[in-house]
């Protein structure tokens, strides 16, 4: 009976289509799902399955091929692990490591699992083939000969089916390159065009055309204000600039928009540069808007003399109301001499000057309010972090940005679409200045659920001691999310998957952490921890009289993770929750050891005090319900502090006018004390591990001495978890 699979044209489930073809299962395809969607399979019963691995398991279970999804549960579990591992080949920098891992596994094996071709082989084969030229180049080299041998043997056996599938869905540059691109509809403004841009997305990257761009002639700038640390929202702008500079072999400048001395500091400059380095952004040079202050003042004076700008002493609130209502300021018709006199008072920072500003004379009746005589200059007596108290007047962003863009030779200025109405102002100001125009390219601002991205609001948390600093793991800053355990590669994938769409995005953190898990899980070492509170001893009556040590892999499927020493004793620690789930006489599996039968459960006042059992080495892992982590009862164990975090605010999205102070989360940090295996003494700060059956963690404070705890920060894995406030 024919099945139907639907998927996005830019991300076909190659393994599913190949498996069905090999198994002789009729499968109709529909490439109409929107980009980013998971593939779905419609069954004859009307039931719908979703996700490539779920579909692949279904194909494997209904196929008539022998052991296509394993002859028993043990092999099926091994196959499942390879299905999960197959996604690692799509993680650019991990491709070589993934190939090396599979190559090592195949040294003494013909197939990945068992003695028959399984969906595990099809999943890994398809993942390699789906990278296109990258795999083909490696295949022709002398590297990973076991992997190449295996790949060629699968191709030799099922060549007709596999060649047909890859010809249809894989191009030289990888999976999803064959289908036609989709068009992103732009604003229609010829100067600010994102219009007519073709974006081709796929699992390994995406392509966006920059209108009017010529290879070797593009010049871009990333221009943060040094009033805070780089956060995930800024990262989108930074990485899009990086992408276009690399694609068009152009230049990228880092420019600090330091026009407000009241909010800026050298600390922020230093940390922004650190964050830019963390994002692996290569740039030609660093510049500052303050480098152009003299030129900007001359330009302001020129516009005053030409009647294109004027000085205004209207009180700020009144000025704002007049702009909203389209009412001319009483100063709009001042003489040039009056304007110049007020301008000189501003430059001197006099009492009179402090009452004034300089405004552009544009059009107070324009429906676009950004053109209603915007402010160009204001007085500010605060000291500037670079140039001290040399100036008493400072240009606004609206005035300085187009000037410096043009003077520095910027060809394309990337701006968030929230500034769309100010694009006309940008071009008009350049026109009045008599400078070369610059093409604006818009992209949507990145917003995250339960997250504040306003630097003013983030500063409040820092100044009021609600967080430990700008690198706090609860913060959306680059330093904060990296400290919490996010790999920069995951952030880059997450942002570039969105491309340069102008649709407003309110993104879920779960999606980002899911990408991160796919990167860290195949390679991060495994360790063991037991929660200290109410932990329970299991006495093994036939356990080893003298402790002995075995050397085992820190990651069973990733040899470069190294090895660890595991001590085996006749007294072992268990989590209280695990001990509570055992019944007397039950056989359980002790991970990395074998089976044991729990004969007695000792209690006092209803609480378990200890367990008594015997090792049962001949027992089968497949027959036990509980697979338990444990630690030996030795002096070598280390003490851990496990920290997990919650969002700083309790509402997904604050509406306009809502005060974030009314939506603060009362509990955003929770500590759990635990014991850890002795191997964790060697953890380095920043190292990511998995505590088996507990989750992923990043080492924040390594081992210093026995009396000081190792601090591990919990890394979200993309699954919805209960709030700390509801689960405590």
């Amino acid at each position: 009976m024919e099945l139907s699979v639907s998927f996005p044209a830019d991300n076909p489930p190659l393994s599913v289509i190949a498996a069905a073809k090999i198994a002789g299962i009729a499968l109709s395809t529909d490439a109409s799902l929107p980009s980013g969607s998971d593939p779905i399979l419609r069954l004859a019963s009307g039931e719908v399955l979703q996700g490539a691995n779920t579909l692949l398991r279904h194909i494997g279970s209904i196929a008539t091929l022998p052991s296509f999804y394993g002859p028993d549960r043990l092999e099926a579990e091994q196959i499942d692990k390879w299905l999960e591992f197959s996604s690692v080949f799509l993680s650019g920098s991990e491709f070589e490591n993934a190939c090396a891992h599979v190559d090592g596994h195949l040294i003494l094996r013909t197939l990945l699992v068992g003695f028959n071709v399984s969906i595990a082989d099809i999943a890994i084969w398809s993942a390699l083939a789906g990278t296109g030229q990258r795999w083909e180049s490696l295949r022709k080299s002398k590297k990973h000969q076991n992997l190449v041998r295996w790949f060629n043997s699968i191709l030799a056996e099922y060549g007709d089916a596999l060649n047909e599938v890859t010809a249809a869905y894989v191009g030289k540059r990888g999976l999803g390159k064959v289908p036609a691109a989709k068009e992103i509809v732009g604003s229609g403004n010829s100067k600010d065009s994102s219009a007519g841009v073709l974006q081709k997305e796929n699992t390994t990257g995406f392509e966006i055309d920059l209108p009017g761009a010529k290879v070797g002639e593009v010049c871009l700038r990333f221009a943060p204000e040094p009033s805070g640390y780089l956060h995930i929202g800024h990262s989108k702008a930074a990485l899009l600039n990086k992408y276009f500079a690399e694609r068009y072999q152009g230049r990228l400048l880092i420019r600090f928009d330091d026009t407000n001395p009241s909010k800026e500091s050298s600390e922020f400059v230093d940390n922004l540069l650190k964050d830019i380095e963390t994002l692996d952004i290569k740039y030609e040079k660093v510049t500052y808007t303050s480098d152009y202050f003299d030129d900007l003042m001359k330009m302001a004076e020129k516009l005053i003399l030409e009647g294109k700008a004027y000085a205004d002493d209207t009180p700020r609130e009144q000025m704002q109301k007049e702009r909203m209502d389209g009412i001319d300021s009483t100063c709009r018709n001042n003489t040039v001499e009056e304007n110049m006199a007020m301008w000189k008072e501003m430059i001197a920072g006099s009492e009179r000057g402090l009452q004034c500003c300089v405004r552009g004379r544009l059009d107070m009746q324009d429906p676009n309010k950004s053109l209603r005589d915007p402010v160009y200059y204001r007085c500010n007596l605060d000291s500037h972090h670079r140039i001290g108290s040399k100036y008493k007047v400072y240009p606004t962003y609206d005035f300085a940005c187009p000037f410096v863009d043009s003077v520095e030779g910027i060809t394309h200025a990337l701006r968030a679409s929230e500034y769309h109405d100010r694009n006309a102002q940008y071009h008009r100001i350049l026109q009045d200045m008599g400078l070369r125009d610059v093409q604006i390219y818009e992209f949507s601002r990145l917003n995250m659920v339960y997250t504040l991205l306003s630097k003013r609001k983030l500063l409040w948390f820092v100044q009021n001691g609600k967080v430990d600093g700008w690198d706090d793991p609860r913060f959306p800053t680059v330093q904060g999310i990296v400290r919490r355990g996010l790999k920069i590669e995951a952030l880059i994938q997450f942002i570039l998957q969105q491309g340069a769409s102008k649709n407003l995005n309110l993104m879920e953190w779960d999606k980002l952490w899911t990408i991160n898990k796919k990167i860290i899980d195949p390679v991060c070492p495994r360790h063991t921890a037991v929660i200290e509170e109410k932990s329970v001893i299991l006495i093994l009556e036939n356990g080893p009289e003298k402790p002995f040590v075995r050397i085992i892999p820190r990651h069973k499927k990733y040899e470069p993770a190294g090895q660890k020493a595991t001590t085996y004793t006749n007294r072992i620690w268990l989590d209280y929750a695990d001990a509570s789930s055992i019944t007397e006489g039950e056989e359980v599996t002790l991970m990395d050891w074998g089976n044991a039968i729990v004969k007695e459960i000792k209690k006092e006042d209803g609480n378990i005090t200890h367990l008594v059992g015997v090792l049962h080495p001949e027992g089968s892992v497949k027959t036990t319900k509980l697979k338990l982590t444990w630690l030996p009862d030795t002096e070598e164990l280390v003490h851990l502090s496990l920290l997990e975090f919650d969002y700083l605010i309790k509402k997904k999205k604050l509406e306009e006018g809502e005060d974030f102070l009314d939506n603060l989360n009362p509990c955003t940090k929770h500590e759990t004390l635990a014991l850890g295996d002795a191997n964790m003494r060697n953890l380095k700060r920043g190292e990511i591990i998995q505590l088996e059956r507990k989750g992923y963690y990043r080492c924040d404070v390594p081992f210093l001495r026995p009396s000081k705890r190792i601090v591990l920060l919990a890394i979200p894995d993309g699954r919805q978890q209960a709030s700390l406030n509801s689960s405590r």
Side-chain angles (χ1 to χ4, degrees):
M1 186 172 294
E2 182 170 285
L3 304 176
S4 173
V5 63
S6 300
F7 51 86
D10 57 8
N11 191 12
L14 196 66
S15 60
V16 175
I17 300 169
K21 182 75 70 175
I22 288 170
I25 297 172
L27 186 70
S28 63
T29 59
D30 169 27
S32 63
L33 290 187
S35 181
S37 303
D38 288 330
I40 59 175
L41 186 72
R42 292 180 176 84
L43 308 182
S45 63
E47 186 181 356
V48 173
L49 303 179
Q50 187 171 15
N53 288 344
T54 301
L55 273 56
L56 196 51
R57 291 185 187 100
H58 180 74
I59 296 292
S61 64
I62 65 173
T64 57
L65 293 175
S67 304
F68 206 37
Y69 190 18
D72 54 38
R73 183 180 297 178
L74 182 62
E75 280 200 14
E77 288 177 354
Q78 294 174 0
I79 289 171
D80 284 341
K81 291 179 179 178
W82 283 111
L83 300 192
E84 295 296 329
F85 185 82
S86 64
S87 63
V88 181
F89 292 95
L90 305 179
S91 304
S93 63
E94 297 299 331
F95 180 83
E96 282 281 346
N97 287 338
C99 288
H101 171 66
V102 183
D103 184 71
H105 179 78
L106 290 167
I107 290 176
L108 299 175
R109 294 178 176 88
T110 304
L111 300 166
L112 291 175
V113 178
F115 302 98
N116 295 287
V117 170
S118 70
I119 55 173
D121 297 288
I122 305 307
I124 300 298
W125 193 97
S126 300
L128 289 166
T131 64
Q133 194 63 45
R134 181 167 193 179
W135 165 245
E136 287 304 315
S137 298
L138 191 63
R139 188 179 168 199
K140 294 172 184 175
S141 70
K142 294 183 179 180
K143 297 174 70 175
H144 310 313
Q145 290 302 298
N146 301 303
L147 179 62
V148 172
R149 164 184 54 77
W150 164 85
F151 184 95
N152 291 340
S153 70
I154 301 293
L155 185 60
E157 187 169 357
Y158 299 105
D160 290 344
L162 294 173
N163 284 329
E164 181 180 340
V165 173
T166 54
Y169 296 103
V170 183
K172 286 185 178 180
R173 300 183 60 189
L175 192 62
K177 288 291 179 180
V178 175
K182 65 178 182 179
E183 184 168 311
I184 295 178
V185 179
S187 65
N189 185 328
S190 60
K191 287 183 177 178
D192 311 329
S193 88
S194 305
V197 179
L198 290 179
Q199 177 174 314
K200 307 164 196 171
E201 298 179 86
N202 57 81
T203 56
T204 56
F206 73 99
E207 290 184 7
I208 310 172
D209 293 331
L210 195 59
K214 296 180 180 179
V215 174
E217 297 181 13
V218 168
C219 184
L220 303 146
R221 49 66 170 167
F222 174 56
E225 180 186 9
S227 58
Y229 286 39
L230 205 69
H231 61 55
I232 190 169
H234 303 131
S235 300
K236 181 173 183 178
L239 290 169
L240 285 173
N241 274 289
K242 164 188 163 79
Y243 168 78
F244 284 128
E246 291 176 351
R247 175 168 180 187
Y248 289 98
Q249 300 170 35
R251 301 159 54 221
L252 175 60
L253 311 182
I254 302 299
R255 182 201 308 147
F256 288 105
D257 176 37
D258 55 345
T259 58
N260 187 346
S262 302
K263 301 195 307 185
E264 298 156 3
S265 74
S266 296
E267 175 203 350
F268 294 137
V269 170
D270 294 341
N271 280 282
L272 284 165
L273 288 172
K274 176 182 176 181
D275 296 337
I276 288 166
E277 182 180 355
T278 298
L279 292 174
D280 195 29
I281 293 173
K282 304 295 188 290
Y283 51 87
E284 182 179 278
K285 63 179 178 179
V286 174
T287 68
Y288 298 81
T289 299
S290 54
D291 294 337
Y292 302 91
F293 276 177
D294 286 342
D295 296 327
L296 284 160
M297 289 179 68
K298 290 174 184 175
M299 177 57 73
E301 190 166 318
K302 172 178 176 289
L303 295 180
I304 292 172
L305 293 172
E306 292 176 352
K308 296 176 181 176
Y310 61 96
D312 193 345
D313 60 2
T314 304
R316 182 171 293 198
E317 289 185 7
Q318 180 183 338
M319 185 186 300
Q320 290 173 344
K321 186 177 187 307
E322 288 177 351
R323 288 192 71 197
M324 291 298 295
D325 297 339
I327 299 171
D328 286 1
S329 166
T330 56
C331 297
R332 200 173 198 270
N333 295 317
N334 285 351
T335 65
V336 170
E337 290 74 21
E338 289 172 320
N339 287 326
M340 287 300 296
M342 293 167 70
W343 170 239
K344 292 187 186 306
E345 293 288 341
M346 289 177 64
I347 292 173
S350 67
E351 184 176 347
R352 170 64 175 150
L354 291 171
Q355 299 171 348
C356 304
C357 68
V358 172
R359 299 174 65 183
R361 186 182 276 109
L362 304 186
D363 186 350
M364 284 298 292
Q365 279 69 51
D366 198 292
N368 183 342
K369 293 182 175 63
S370 74
L371 291 168
R372 295 182 182 180
D373 293 8
V375 174
Y376 287 174
Y377 260 92
R378 286 196 177 99
C379 282
N380 191 328
L381 302 185
D382 290 344
S383 177
H384 191 279
H385 68 95
R386 286 188 75 222
I387 50 183
S389 301
K390 178 179 179 181
Y391 299 99
K392 305 295 187 293
V393 290
Y394 291 89
T396 60
Y397 173 84
D398 289 339
F399 183 72
C401 181
F403 176 90
V404 182
D405 280 349
S406 185
V407 168
E408 287 191 335
I410 304 302
T411 59
H412 295 78
L414 271 61
R415 281 166 62 123
S417 54
E418 63 186 300
Y419 295 112
H420 176 76
D421 288 347
R422 295 165 85 168
N423 291 349
Q425 177 200 87
Y426 179 100
H427 296 300
R428 171 65 188 275
I429 290 173
L430 279 177
Q431 180 182 328
D432 283 358
M433 290 176 172
L435 296 176
R436 175 188 62 85
D437 203 4
V438 177
Q439 188 157 0
I440 291 175
Y441 187 88
E442 293 184 330
F443 62 91
S444 66
R445 176 189 170 115
L446 176 63
N447 294 300
M448 306 296 294
V449 295
Y450 300 107
T451 302
L452 300 170
L453 293 179
S454 161
K455 285 184 283 188
R456 176 182 61 82
K457 294 172 183 175
L458 295 177
L459 182 61
W460 180 88
F461 284 93
V462 175
Q463 292 178 335
N464 288 274
K466 301 294 184 182
V467 295
D468 299 332
W470 287 92
D471 66 344
D472 190 284
R474 292 162 288 189
F475 254 18
T477 55
V478 170
Q479 292 185 37
I481 56 181
V482 167
R483 185 178 172 195
R484 194 169 181 180
L486 188 80
K487 304 294 285 185
I488 286 299
E489 182 183 350
L491 177 61
I492 292 171
Q493 282 188 36
F494 175 72
I495 288 174
L496 296 189
Q497 278 178 9
Q498 301 166 45
S501 166
K502 296 203 303 177
N503 298 322
L504 292 177
N505 296 318
L506 182 64
M507 303 298 295
E508 297 280 350
W509 283 98
D510 291 345
K511 184 175 181 181
L512 174 58
W513 291 115
T514 297
I515 295 171
N516 193 61
K517 178 188 173 182
K518 290 179 180 178
I519 293 171
I520 64 175
D521 181 74
V523 297
C524 72
R526 271 53 171 168
H527 287 274
T528 304
V530 169
I531 306 303
E532 281 188 21
E533 185 179 6
K534 299 173 72 173
S535 53
V536 176
I537 281 286
L538 168 57
I539 300 171
L540 297 167
E541 294 179 330
N542 62 342
E545 292 184 12
K546 291 184 178 180
F548 68 91
V549 175
R550 285 181 185 156
I551 305 300
I552 63 175
R554 291 176 81 200
H555 190 312
K556 292 182 177 65
K557 294 185 177 181
Y558 186 62
E559 188 176 342
Q563 296 179 318
K564 61 183 178 182
T566 299
T567 302
Y568 297 82
T569 64
N570 57 13
R571 290 169 56 89
I572 62 174
W573 288 106
L574 300 179
D575 281 322
Y576 189 85
D578 285 342
S580 301
S581 63
I582 301 172
T583 57
E584 281 194 354
E586 183 175 3
E587 186 169 359
V588 299
T589 296
L590 302 175
M591 293 175 64
D592 292 327
W593 195 346
N595 283 10
I597 298 173
V598 178
K599 296 164 54 180
E600 299 177 68
I601 299 176
K602 303 292 187 179
K603 294 184 178 181
E604 287 183 11
D605 300 326
N607 293 317
I608 300 172
T609 57
H610 66 279
L611 307 176
V612 179
V614 292
L615 292 170
H616 187 228
E618 59 272 19
S620 171
V621 174
K622 293 186 285 185
T623 63
T624 57
K625 181 177 71 173
L626 298 176
K627 309 315 193 254
L628 306 180
T629 45
W630 55 275
L631 286 173
D633 182 19
T634 70
E635 296 295 324
E636 297 175 353
L637 300 182
V638 296
H639 293 275
L640 308 175
S641 170
L642 309 180
L643 297 180
E644 55 183 313
F645 303 96
D646 204 345
Y647 301 114
L648 291 170
I649 59 174
K650 56 189 178 184
K651 194 169 181 182
K652 253 192 174 185
K653 181 177 184 290
L654 295 182
E655 302 302 327
E656 190 172 346
E658 273 193 287
D659 191 341
F660 74 97
L661 295 175
D662 297 330
N663 289 277
L664 297 181
N665 230 342
C667 177
T668 60
K669 181 178 180 180
H670 179 78
E671 180 183 39
T672 301
L673 304 182
L675 297 170
D677 67 69
N679 301 279
M680 284 194 262
R681 293 170 183 262
N682 300 319
L683 290 180
K684 298 178 175 60
R685 187 174 193 272
E687 188 171 354
I688 290 174
I689 63 171
Q690 183 187 50
L691 294 181
E692 295 200 273
R693 299 179 59 236
K694 287 180 171 58
Y696 304 95
Y697 290 82
R698 179 184 182 273
C699 180
D700 196 53
V701 179
F703 180 81
L704 299 173
R705 55 185 179 275
S707 61
K708 189 158 179 68
R709 291 182 179 272
I710 297 171
V711 179
L712 302 178
L713 308 185
I715 305 172
D717 61 7
R719 293 180 294 181
Q720 289 285 345
Q721 295 180 341
S723 164
L724 295 181
N725 299 283
S726 62
S727 60
R728 303 294 168 201

